[in-house]
Amino acid sequence: NAGVTQTPKFQVLKTGQSMTLQCAQDMNHEYMSWYRQDPGMGLRLIHYSVGAGITDQGEVPNGYNVSRSTTEDFPLRLLSAAPSQTSVYFCASSQTITPTDTQYFGPGTRLTVL
Amino acid sequence: GQNIDQPTEMTATEGAIVQINCTYQTSGFNGLFWYQQHAGEAPTFLSYNVLDGLEEKGRFSSFLSRSKGYSYLLLKELQMKDSASYLCAVNGGDMRFGAGTRLTVKP
């Protein structure tokens, strides 16, 4: 079991560029989510998915798109990168959306937007 | 609004006990979670509380009082490897995290 994997680990973008952060899990988890982590602000939920074909917005969804075509994959797209999107991005998954299900986090993607 | 507060930094001595507090105000409540995050790494799950009281897991215990909007994480017999950030999170419909408490364990 690889758990939750994320690629790339590091990325530098110029303002206005677009890119996709990849996330995959091999635990057959229904629930997947994306967070960003900024100093002094904690983790903030961007988007989440309760199953293939179903996505919803979290606390800070603007500037990001997601899709869930398979159970395993949950990519996060930055449409037009801005310096305010410089952050560490974590993908997480859990068996179901049940609140007490343990969330497993990927290793993170460190994104810098110049 | 939704608010989760915890101290920014704490320092403790190896072998000692430390208590990390968390207070929260959320519109709903389905559970409170504690995560450990070493620098440059992903958060890892430590414990959760749904009902009031103390949950013990080895050297780590977590307490919840829903009426007071209060939780603490108790770490006993501190080891150097316990130096990390500890994140308090509340599921009130979606998951909200505090900013984390950076714990430094000194010899």
Side-chain angles (χ1 to χ4, degrees), chain A residues 35 37 40-43 45 58-59 90 99-103 105-107 110, chain B residues 30 33 35 37 40-43 45 48 50 87 91 94-99:
Chain A
Y35 294 88
Q37 187 173 37
M41 298 193 71
L43 288 154
L45 183 65
E59 186 184 354
F90 287 101
T100 51
D101 274 356
T102 300
Q103 282 203 84
F105 284 83
R110 284 147 186 81
Chain B
N30 296 312
F33 300 77
Y35 286 82
Q37 186 177 25
E41 298 182 10
F45 170 79
Y48 76 83
V50 178
L87 314 180
N91 188 309
D94 60 14
M95 192 74 98
R96 298 291 174 116
F97 283 80

Side-chain angles (χ1 to χ4, degrees), chain A residues 23-114:
Chain A
C23 174
Q25 51 89 13
D26 62 358
M27 298 175 282
N28 202 33
H29 284 174
E30 293 180 5
Y31 182 81
M32 297 185 74
S33 55
W34 276 102
Y35 294 88
R36 59 178 290 174
Q37 187 173 37
D38 302 294
M41 298 193 71
L43 288 154
R44 290 182 292 168
L45 183 65
I46 304 172
H47 285 285
Y48 65 94
S49 168
V50 299
I54 307 169
T55 63
D56 208 343
Q57 297 181 350
E59 186 184 354
V60 289
N62 292 342
Y64 308 95
N65 272 359
V66 291
S67 60
R68 185 94 179 271
S69 56
T70 67
T71 300
E72 294 77 20
D73 300 298
F74 190 44
L76 178 73
R77 295 184 189 83
L78 280 71
L79 308 172
S80 177
S84 61
Q85 293 178 305
T86 293
S87 188
V88 181
Y89 291 84
F90 287 101
C91 178
S93 74
S94 59
Q95 187 65 50
T96 69
I97 198 176
T98 303
T100 51
D101 274 356
T102 300
Q103 282 203 84
Y104 297 89
F105 284 83
T109 294
R110 284 147 186 81
L111 176 68
T112 301
V113 183
L114 303 175

Side-chain angles (χ1 to χ4, degrees), chain B residues 3-18:
Chain B
N3 220 30
I4 299 172
D5 292 312
Q6 48 182 134
T8 304
E9 293 192 27
M10 297 183 73
T11 302
T13 305
E14 193 176 14
I17 299 172
V18 71

